[in-house]
Amino acid sequence: MCGIVAYIGEEQAFPIVLKGLKRLEYRGYDSAGIALINKEGLLNYKHKGKVSELEKHTDKKNIDGTIGIGHTRWATHGLPNDVNAHPHLSGNENIALIHNGIIENYDTLKEGLIARGHTFKSETDTEVLVHLVEDIQEHEKVSTAEAVRLALNNVIGAYAIVVMSKDNPNQLIAARKSSPLVVGIGKEGDFYLASDATPIVEYTNEVVYLEDEEIAIVERNKGLRLYNIQNQEKTPYIQELEMQLEALEKGGYEHFMLKEIHEQPRSIKDCFRGRLNVNKGWVGLGGIKDYEQQLATAKRIIFVACGTSWHAALVGEYLFEDLTRIPVEVEYASEFRYRNPIIGEGDIVIAISQSGETADTLAALELAKAKGATILGICNVVGSSISRITHAGSYTHAGPEIGVASTKAFTAQVTVLTIMALAIARKKGTLNEAKFRRIITELELIPEKVAKVLESSDYIESISEIYKDAANALYLGRGNSFPVALEGALKLKEISYIHAEGYPAAEMKHGPIALIDEAMPVFVIATKGQSYEKVVSNIQEVKARKGKVIAIVTEGDKQVKAMADHVIEIPDTDEHLVPLLATIPFQLLSYYIAVMRGCNVDQPRNLAKSVTVE
Ligand code: F6R
C-alpha cells in the first residue's frame, strides 16, 4: 500500500530510486514520483500510472543528484492523477515529502494551515503534512528534522515518511508509525530507505527496521541517528538481511505470479525444513517452542487474518479442531477489531499475514494484546510489524511474494498451521502414533506431489481457454476443501475480474443453485475422503441443471470423471493435506484465464499488496 524509497550517498540517486520503485510497485501503481536535489535546486517529477510512465516522462530531463526520494502510490485521498502523486512539496517548495499511510486528522490540520495562509494543490493528506512541517519550521525557527518531529506529535494516523529539504541537501529524515520503513546501511557511508528490504538487498545486507514513532536521520559524514518522537536518542539495532536478490527477479517466467506458483514445491519444503523429521517421528516450530505448553492447554484459539490469509486460517480451523481438539474461531481482522471481542484467560490469538503489515490484522492483535491475550504470528516477511509485536511466532519462509495475488504464501501458511497443529496434538496426546506418522510421512511428500500437479499446467491452460469468457463462476468444496473453494473464487475474481463465489457444496441448494444454467462453470473439489459421496451428489445436482462441472479429483477417480465436463487429477494424500494440492489447479486456472483476458496479472486493478490502511 504505497511504496517509498530514498537514497543518499555518492552515487546517482535517480537510477537507484527508480529501480527501487519498480521493486515496490506491487504496493501500489496509481502514480509514481521522484524528487532530487542538485545544483539547480529541488526537482520534482511525478506522473499518473506506473513507474514506467514516470521513466518515460523523465527521459532527457535533469535527473542529476546524489540525494533523492521516490514514491509509488495506491490512492487513498484524492484521484490517482499527477497532482495527487507524491512527492509533495511545501508551499515554498523547499521541502519534499513522501508518505505511506493515512493522516486521519488531516482535515483539521488543513483548516488551521489554510487560516495561516497556506494554499494546497492536491487533495491529499500528505500535502497537509509537508505544509505543517514548513509552518512549524518558519514559526519555531527550528531545523527541518525538529520541525518533522514536532509535526508528527500533532498527527493522528499511520505514516512512513521520508523528508528532504533544500536547506540541507546532505540529510534525509524518516519516521514511521504503523507503516513499515527499513534503513539500509551501505558500504560507503551511503543510505537507502524503503518500505521493505526489496529495493535495498542488492546494495547492502545491513538494515535497521524502524519501530513505531521512531525518527531516523541519515546524513553524509554523520551516519545514522535514531530518536523517538519525544526526542530521546536511541541505539539503532542493525540486523542482517537474509533475502536473496534472485528471489526478486522473474527468473524467466512471464509473470511473478506464475513463478511463485511454480516455486511451491520448493517453498513448501523450505517451510518445513528443520521442522519435520519423519525418521524420528518429530515435528516442531522453534519460534513457538516456549508457548507449546500454553497452546496445548489453551481453552480457545482465535485466528485473525484478512483475504487469502483468512482462508488459510479456515484450513487451520479444521486442522486444529480435528487434531488438537481445541475450539477455534476464525475472525476477519477488520471485524474483530471493531467489536468488543470476548477474550478470556487462556485464549490465544494467532495472526496470519503474508506481509506482516496488514493494518487491520495489526490492530486486531494490538486489541487482543491489550485485553491480556497471548498473541502469536504466522508471517512471511521477516522483520515485519506483526512479527515484532507478537509474543512469538513462526515464519513461513516462502521467500518474497511479489505478485499481488497470494499463492505460495497461502500454501506455506497452511504448511505452518499443519506443523503447529501436529506439534500441539502430540503434546496434548490427542493424536495417535499411527495417524501422526501417516500425516507427517505424507507431508514430506507434498512438495513432489505439488510438482506433479504443476505438470498438468498445459491441460489446465486448455480448460482455461474454454471458460475464459464466463461472466460468473461457482467454487464448491466441503470440509477443509471449502476454504480452498473460497480461495479459488478469490483468485479468479481478483486477477481476471470474473465474478466468482465460493460455497460449501451442500449450501448450494439453499440459494446459489438458482444461478446454475449452461453458462455457469462450477469448479468442485471432489477428492477421495469423508465427504466424497456427498460431493458426488452435489455434482449431480449441478449437472441436472446443465451447469458445467470442472472437478478436482484424486488420481484414478472414475465416478466423477463419468459425470464432470472436465477433471483435473491430483495425487492421493492424507485428507488433512488435500488443501495443499487442491489449491494449485485453481491458482493456475485463474492465472491462465486472466492472461487470456489481457489482464495485468501481477498488478490487478485497484489492488495493492500489503494493505497498510484500514
Ligand atoms: C489475495 C491477497 C489478499 C491478502 C490480504 C492479506 O490474493 O493477497 O487477500 O491475502 O490482503 O494480506 P496479508 O497476508 O499480507 O496480511
Side-chain angles (χ1 to χ4, degrees), residues 100-102 158-160 175-181 210 212 357 385 612:
N100 168 27
I102 289 185
Y159 54 79
R176 75 153 270 176
K177 185 181 176 197
S178 305
S179 294
L181 197 57
L210 291 198
D212 269 354
E357 301 294 347
S385 301
T612 53

Coordinates of all heavy atoms in Angstrom, one line a residue, residues 100-102 158-160 175-181 210 212 357 385 612:
N100 N 3.6 6.9 3.2 CA 2.7 5.8 3.1 C 1.9 5.7 4.3 O 2.5 5.7 5.4 CB 3.6 4.5 2.9 CG 2.8 3.2 3.1 OD1 1.6 3.2 2.8 ND2 3.5 2.2 3.5
G101 N 0.6 5.7 4.2 CA -0.3 5.6 5.4 C -1.4 6.6 5.3 O -1.7 7.1 4.1
I102 N -2.1 7.0 6.4 CA -3.2 7.9 6.3 C -3.1 8.9 7.5 O -2.9 8.4 8.6 CB -4.5 7.2 6.4 CG1 -4.8 6.4 5.1 CG2 -5.7 8.1 6.6 CD1 -6.2 5.8 5.0
A158 N -1.5 6.9 10.5 CA -0.4 6.0 10.2 C 0.5 6.7 9.2 O 0.1 7.3 8.3 CB -1.0 4.7 9.6
Y159 N 1.8 6.4 9.4 CA 2.7 7.0 8.4 C 4.1 6.3 8.4 O 4.5 5.8 9.4 CB 3.0 8.5 8.8 CG 3.5 8.8 10.2 CD1 4.8 8.5 10.5 CD2 2.6 9.2 11.2 CE1 5.3 8.7 11.8 CE2 3.1 9.4 12.5 CZ 4.4 9.2 12.8 OH 4.9 9.3 14.1
A160 N 4.6 6.2 7.2 CA 6.0 6.0 7.0 C 6.4 7.2 6.1 O 5.7 7.3 5.0 CB 6.3 4.7 6.3
A175 N 10.6 8.6 9.3 CA 9.9 8.3 10.5 C 8.8 7.3 10.2 O 8.3 7.2 9.0 CB 9.2 9.5 11.1
R176 N 8.4 6.5 11.2 CA 7.3 5.6 10.9 C 6.3 5.4 12.1 O 6.7 5.6 13.3 CB 7.8 4.2 10.6 CG 8.3 3.4 11.7 CD 8.2 1.9 11.5 NE 7.0 1.4 12.0 CZ 6.6 0.1 11.9 NH1 7.3 -0.8 11.2 NH2 5.4 -0.3 12.4
K177 N 5.1 5.2 11.8 CA 4.1 4.7 12.8 C 3.1 3.9 12.1 O 2.4 4.4 11.2 CB 3.4 5.9 13.5 CG 2.5 5.5 14.6 CD 1.8 6.7 15.2 CE 0.8 6.1 16.2 NZ -0.2 7.1 16.6
S178 N 3.0 2.6 12.4 CA 2.1 1.7 11.8 C 2.2 1.4 10.3 O 1.4 0.7 9.7 CB 0.6 2.1 12.0 OG 0.4 2.3 13.4
S179 N 3.2 2.0 9.7 CA 3.5 1.7 8.3 C 5.0 1.4 8.2 O 5.8 2.0 8.9 CB 3.3 2.8 7.3 OG 1.9 3.1 7.3
P180 N 5.4 0.4 7.5 CA 6.8 -0.1 7.6 C 7.9 0.8 7.0 O 7.6 1.5 6.0 CB 6.8 -1.4 6.9 CG 5.7 -1.3 5.9 CD 4.6 -0.4 6.5
L181 N 9.1 0.8 7.5 CA 10.2 1.5 7.0 C 11.5 0.9 7.4 O 11.7 0.6 8.6 CB 10.1 3.0 7.5 CG 11.0 4.0 6.7 CD1 10.6 4.0 5.2 CD2 10.8 5.4 7.3
L210 N 12.8 0.4 11.4 CA 12.3 1.4 12.4 C 11.1 0.9 13.2 O 10.3 0.1 12.7 CB 11.9 2.7 11.7 CG 13.0 3.5 11.0 CD1 12.4 4.9 10.7 CD2 14.2 3.6 11.8
D212 N 7.7 1.8 15.7 CA 6.7 2.9 15.7 C 7.2 4.1 16.5 O 7.8 4.0 17.5 CB 5.4 2.4 16.4 CG 4.5 1.8 15.3 OD1 4.8 1.8 14.1 OD2 3.5 1.2 15.7
E357 N 2.1 -6.8 7.7 CA 1.9 -5.3 7.8 C 0.4 -4.9 7.7 O 0.1 -3.8 7.8 CB 2.7 -4.6 6.7 CG 4.2 -4.7 6.7 CD 4.9 -4.2 7.9 OE1 4.2 -3.4 8.7 OE2 6.1 -4.5 8.2
S385 N 6.0 -5.8 10.9 CA 5.5 -5.3 12.2 C 4.8 -6.4 13.0 O 5.0 -6.4 14.2 CB 4.4 -4.2 11.8 OG 5.1 -3.2 11.1
T612 N -1.7 -1.5 4.2 CA -1.3 -0.8 5.4 C -2.3 0.3 5.8 O -2.0 1.1 6.7 CB 0.1 -0.3 5.3 OG1 0.2 0.5 4.2 CG2 1.1 -1.4 5.3

